[in-house]
């Protein structure tokens, strides 16, 4: 789906989390939302998912204004926070099954897909274990496996590479994300890790104090910054507001 933010603002009390943020994302891309702590990254994802309502501006999916009451559209979008919301007394397998039912994804071949996901994320041998007996990284893998099984049009991932996953888990989610965008889906993730952004993004949105300060490929952003790196761009932003 094509995604547009049109002058979206969001405040929490007196704190402005998003300040007239505008952005246009085409389908079939991996987009990094890059920014320091408090830049507005999580708020942007929550607004895109319909979890938070903007105070002003519009969010548009495929030229259709987004309504939080549009359950059919919301089932095409999946948001995974940095600490997943799961039922910890459930097993890994039951949790995935519950998510599939919520999204109404009882499709042909889904059992084999779930089994493959359990194998790929090293969850197969612990699939019957309650989530409250697992590590943070394993819980995040279980939540990711549920999202990938749902196969939404839009993935919204909050700090997936700071989730406690091991290197194999990180490589696995990267592979599945690439497969998803090859099918026309859109993956949007937030991060503060510059090395990840440079190697795993088609486009980068730089947020600073709630404002979209830049949006382009890494190469074009660095060229626009007269050959500087993303780290140099961030340093310049800090100097502007210091």
């Amino acid at each position: 789906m094509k995604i547009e933010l049109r002058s979206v603002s969001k405040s929490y009390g007196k704190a402005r989390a998003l300040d007239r943020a505008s952005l246009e994302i085409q389908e079939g891309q991996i987009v990094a939302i890059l920014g320091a702590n408090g830049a507005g990254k999580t708020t942007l994802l929550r607004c895109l998912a319909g979890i938070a309502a903007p105070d002003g501006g519009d969010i548009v999916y495929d030229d259709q204004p987004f309504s939080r009451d549009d359950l059919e559209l919301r089932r095409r979008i999946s948001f995974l926070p940095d600490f997943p919301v799961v039922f910890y007394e459930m097993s890994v397998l039951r949790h995935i099954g519950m998510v599939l039912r919520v999204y109404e994804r009882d499709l042909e071949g889904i059992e084999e897909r779930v089994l493959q996901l359990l194998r790929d994320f090293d969850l197969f041998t612990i699939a019957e274990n309650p989530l409250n007996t697992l590590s943070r990284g394993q819980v995040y893998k279980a939540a990711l496996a549920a999202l990938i099984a749902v196969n939404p049009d839009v993935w919204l991932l909050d700090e997936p590479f700071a989730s406690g996953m091991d290197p194999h888990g990180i490589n696995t989610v990267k592979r599945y994300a690439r497969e998803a965008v090859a099918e026309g889906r859109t993956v949007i993730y937030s991060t503060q890790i510059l090395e990840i952004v440079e190697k795993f993004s088609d486009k980068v949105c730089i947020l600073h104090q709630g404002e979209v300060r830049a949006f382009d490929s890494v190469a074009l952003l660095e060229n626009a910054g007269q050959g500087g790196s993303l780290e140099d761009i961030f340093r310049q932003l800090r100097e502007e507001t210091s």
Side-chain angles (χ1 to χ4, degrees):
M1 285 191 292
K2 178 183 175 182
I3 305 168
E4 296 176 80
L5 280 79
R6 300 174 180 172
S7 298
V8 171
S9 295
K10 177 67 178 176
S11 296
Y12 298 100
K14 295 182 179 180
R16 178 63 65 92
L18 290 177
D19 188 2
R20 293 166 292 180
S22 294
L23 195 62
E24 183 174 313
I25 299 172
Q26 301 296 329
E27 66 181 21
Q29 294 182 333
I30 295 177
V31 177
I33 308 298
L34 181 62
N37 291 334
K41 302 185 301 296
T42 298
T43 298
L44 188 152
L45 293 177
R46 286 170 58 86
C47 287
L48 285 172
I51 295 170
D55 300 325
D58 297 299
I59 297 172
V60 179
Y61 284 95
D62 280 346
D63 300 319
Q64 175 185 348
F66 181 40
S67 168
R68 299 172 72 203
D69 297 326
D70 188 344
L71 295 182
E72 183 178 349
L73 177 56
R74 290 185 69 174
R75 285 194 180 101
R76 299 173 63 189
I77 304 164
S78 189
F79 171 61
L80 185 58
D82 54 349
F83 284 90
V85 178
V86 296
F87 291 94
Y88 281 91
E89 72 278 4
M90 284 189 176
S91 70
V92 172
L93 193 55
R94 283 193 63 200
H95 173 70
I96 294 173
M98 181 195 67
V99 173
L100 287 168
R101 286 193 296 275
V102 168
Y103 278 85
E104 299 182 352
R105 292 297 201 274
D106 188 16
L107 306 174
E108 183 178 353
I110 192 64
E111 295 89 351
E112 183 53 42
R113 180 169 175 80
V114 169
L115 289 174
Q116 188 60 53
L117 285 164
L118 292 172
R119 296 186 188 100
D120 288 347
F121 279 105
D122 291 334
L123 296 171
F124 187 79
T125 59
I126 57 173
E128 298 294 342
N129 293 17
L131 290 165
N132 60 14
T133 66
L134 306 184
S135 70
R136 181 189 175 195
Q138 288 172 322
V139 170
Y140 198 86
K141 286 180 181 180
L144 268 173
L147 181 150
I148 296 168
V150 166
N151 200 22
D153 291 336
V154 179
W155 301 19
L156 303 172
L157 310 178
D158 195 10
E159 299 284 359
F161 303 113
S163 61
M165 284 193 298
D166 53 42
H168 175 73
I170 290 172
N171 288 333
T172 299
V173 70
K174 286 180 178 179
R175 175 168 60 82
Y176 272 106
R178 279 294 172 202
E179 291 175 0
V181 299
E183 296 173 351
R185 289 168 173 79
T186 304
V187 176
I188 305 173
Y189 72 98
S190 65
T191 189
Q192 301 178 70
I193 306 173
L194 298 178
E195 294 82 3
I196 291 285
V197 172
E198 290 170 343
K199 297 177 181 178
F200 183 62
S201 308
D202 299 313
K203 292 286 186 68
V204 182
C205 169
I206 297 179
L207 273 184
H208 184 67
Q209 296 184 339
E211 298 180 2
V212 175
R213 300 298 294 268
F215 180 60
D216 219 320
S217 67
V218 172
L220 289 177
L221 285 175
E222 291 178 342
N223 288 337
Q226 298 179 340
S229 65
L230 287 178
E231 186 174 357
D232 294 330
I233 294 171
F234 264 100
R235 185 172 61 253
Q236 292 167 10
L237 289 173
R238 288 195 300 270
E239 290 172 352
E240 287 178 13
T241 54
S242 62

